[in-house]
Amino acid sequence: MANKIIIDTDPGIDDILALLLALSSKPEEVELLLISLTFGNIEVKNCLRNAVSMFHILERETEWRRQNGRPEGFGAMRACRPVVAVGAEDPLEDQKMLADYFHGTDGLGGIHDSHPHLTPSQAWEQLFDPAADPDGIEAVQSGAGSRDHPFIPSKIPAHKEILRVLRENEPDTVTLVAVGPLTNLALASAEDPETFLRVKEVVVMGGAVNQPGNVTPVGEFNAYADAFAAARVFALTSPNPNSTLPPTESPVLPPYPAKLSRRLTLRLFPLDITLRHNISKGEFRKAVTPLLESGSPLAEWVDAFMGHTFRTLERLHPGHVGDDAHLSLHDPVCVWYALTSTDPKWAPSPTSPEDIRIETTGQWTRGMCVIDRRSRHKIEGDTESSSDHGLWLSANAGNRILRMDESPAEKNFGEIMIQRLFG
């Protein structure tokens, strides 16, 4: 049976690669039910343009492959049209930070200006606008053939779509892969925690435990971009979720109910594991060059934003030069787990489940993954004491995070991904 998944994302370069990896799968591997969009790498409106552009390119690629007698691929996309929904524009409480310094202001290295022929017209925007005139929408649908597009546009917020999907499917059958800030997840779990807890597991790309951060010395981007949201979602793994909720001065979201029917299963993919899954410029160039020469629309599109990526890596990181420059495939690793989770080579750290909490108020430590590294005896009960500020030692409090540490594809994941995308 195909794995049912939701991908919550802020496309972004590696986010697009993650989406392509899911859509290029076989129908029996995955059923992508929903793509929920959030701010993060860029503003959420640009995230939507990138997602729609991806589907536009895939339509062209499918036709090109058909005309040239090549296997069409992207069976999962043809078998199940995912809903695309627009979500959070801002973090819950923090000052907004984007990663356009890496991804470009449009999220794909300026591709919409440098390669305008690869970007669809913006008539599709009306399909997502709740206030749009229905007659106008029908005109767009008729003119653009949107009923035949490989996605279904949603007019309701992404966090409500997440709850809808979880209500309409049996408990423990849908995996939620979150590869951006966790704002949509925090909103969904606050609105209806019991429905949110119907999820099989939440797979999160975020945080840094034993590695430096990538936006501050201790902060990884997704955890930093909305630390309050991450802390709230992590809290649902606790026997007492309210024991680890972040302090707040504004009633943005309420506390969780005192009693919940179950705890959230959350698998965390921090930089510690994602940095070990890479693709080099040389590997990418070798694979994509013959496809560019053959006229593949997908190869032209991906090559355009990957060229920007490798140039940025050379500028930001010493030693990332020429064909040796390599891109860490943070988000695709999480999708690969969702596709292959039964492989026994996937394994959490030996110390999992761990009480990992996200710092929300520190001047220099926003988004930091905090772990109690003290060697202390556990304390029964859930009352804070002077020797255990924060209930770190309580057996009835604290988060329970499965921090992933071992992968079946660490050495050749870039090769696997390229083969999946381009055949």
Side-chain angles (χ1 to χ4, degrees):
M1 181 180 293
N3 296 316
K4 295 181 178 182
I5 67 172
I6 296 168
I7 299 180
D8 189 79
T9 178
D10 55 336
I13 288 162
D14 57 329
D15 303 75
I16 287 291
L17 295 176
L19 290 169
L20 289 171
L21 179 60
L23 293 168
S24 67
S25 300
K26 299 176 181 178
E28 58 268 26
E29 289 180 312
V30 68
E31 188 176 349
L32 178 55
L33 304 176
L34 169 65
I35 299 171
S36 55
L37 302 174
T38 177
F39 83 96
N41 290 320
I42 48 174
E43 300 286 358
V44 72
K45 288 184 178 180
N46 284 332
C47 292
L48 177 59
R49 178 168 63 167
N50 292 343
V52 172
S53 294
M54 175 188 69
F55 283 112
H56 170 73
I57 290 296
L58 290 178
E59 287 185 293
R60 292 177 55 180
E61 176 74 6
T62 299
E63 180 61 26
W64 176 80
R65 292 184 183 186
R66 189 181 296 123
Q67 291 178 355
N68 287 272
R70 297 172 179 256
E72 291 181 16
F74 293 92
M77 179 183 70
R78 297 198 308 275
C80 175
R81 290 199 305 161
V83 173
V84 176
V86 181
E89 297 181 5
D90 300 288
L92 296 180
E93 294 195 14
D94 297 316
Q95 180 181 359
K96 181 157 66 176
M97 173 185 175
L98 304 176
D100 49 8
Y101 65 90
F102 183 84
H103 295 267
T105 55
D106 68 356
L108 294 177
I111 195 171
H112 302 295
D113 291 328
S114 64
H115 295 69
H117 61 290
L118 299 179
T119 300
S121 70
Q122 291 186 286
W124 51 265
E125 287 184 340
Q126 294 185 60
L127 300 175
F128 296 88
D129 183 1
D133 175 58
D135 294 332
I137 292 170
E138 283 297 321
V140 172
Q141 288 177 333
S142 300
S146 72
R147 290 191 182 92
D148 299 324
H149 284 179
F151 67 89
I152 301 169
S154 172
K155 290 178 172 293
I156 68 173
H159 75 277
K160 292 183 180 294
E161 285 285 10
I162 291 173
L163 292 172
R164 178 193 61 78
V165 170
L166 294 175
R167 286 191 195 101
E168 292 178 357
N169 288 273
E170 291 296 318
D172 297 317
T173 60
V174 177
T175 296
L176 205 171
V177 183
V179 294
L182 298 185
T183 316
N184 287 335
L185 279 67
L187 292 170
S189 61
E191 180 169 314
D192 189 344
E194 288 294 350
T195 295
F196 186 78
L197 290 173
R198 291 167 64 94
V199 72
K200 179 180 179 180
E201 61 184 1
V202 173
V203 178
V204 173
M205 191 283 121
V209 177
N210 296 312
Q211 285 282 335
N214 58 6
V215 291
T216 73
V218 294
E220 177 276 331
F221 176 80
N222 287 340
Y224 184 94
D226 196 341
F228 280 87
R232 285 190 62 96
V233 175
F234 281 33
L236 285 170
T237 69
S238 172
N240 179 9
N242 290 323
S243 68
T244 64
L245 282 184
T248 178
E249 296 180 359
S250 59
V252 177
L253 296 177
Y256 292 120
K259 296 290 185 181
L260 290 169
S261 62
R262 58 195 296 185
R263 290 190 289 114
L264 178 68
T265 298
L266 191 152
R267 294 186 185 271
L268 183 66
F269 284 73
L271 295 180
D272 306 59
I273 183 171
T274 62
L275 285 171
R276 305 200 303 260
H277 295 75
N278 303 288
I279 184 169
S280 71
K281 182 178 178 180
E283 286 178 298
F284 178 78
R285 180 180 54 78
K286 182 179 178 181
V288 81
T289 297
L291 294 166
L292 288 171
E293 294 171 349
S294 300
S296 161
L298 180 61
E300 182 184 5
W301 192 62
V302 175
D303 181 66
F305 64 73
M306 287 292 279
H308 161 86
T309 302
F310 288 122
R311 289 190 297 272
T312 302
L313 287 167
E314 289 181 345
R315 187 180 76 249
L316 293 178
H317 298 286
H320 284 253
V321 179
D323 281 354
D324 291 331
H326 61 268
L327 173 67
S328 294
L329 301 170
H330 306 289
D331 298 345
V333 174
C334 296
V335 168
W336 185 241
Y337 167 79
L339 300 178
T340 63
S341 58
T342 57
D343 190 320
K345 293 181 181 178
W346 288 108
S349 68
T351 52
S352 287
E354 297 170 307
D355 185 0
I356 301 176
R357 308 187 195 184
I358 300 295
E359 175 59 58
T360 59
T361 60
Q363 180 181 2
W364 308 116
T365 56
R366 168 179 155 186
M368 178 183 180
C369 286
V370 182
I371 298 178
D372 188 356
R373 303 182 192 274
R374 300 171 295 176
S375 178
R376 300 274 295 276
H377 290 295
K378 287 290 184 182
I379 299 173
E380 292 300 324
D382 54 6
T383 302
E384 190 172 78
S385 69
S386 57
S387 64
D388 183 27
H389 179 64
L391 294 172
W392 288 93
L393 301 176
S394 171
N396 301 319
N399 298 332
R400 306 287 190 271
I401 306 294
L402 297 168
R403 176 168 62 89
M404 300 304 289
D405 190 51
E406 297 292 336
S407 153
E410 183 175 321
K411 295 182 179 179
N412 64 334
F413 182 59
E415 179 182 341
I416 291 172
M417 188 188 70
I418 288 296
Q419 178 64 29
R420 286 262 176 160
L421 268 56
F422 295 109

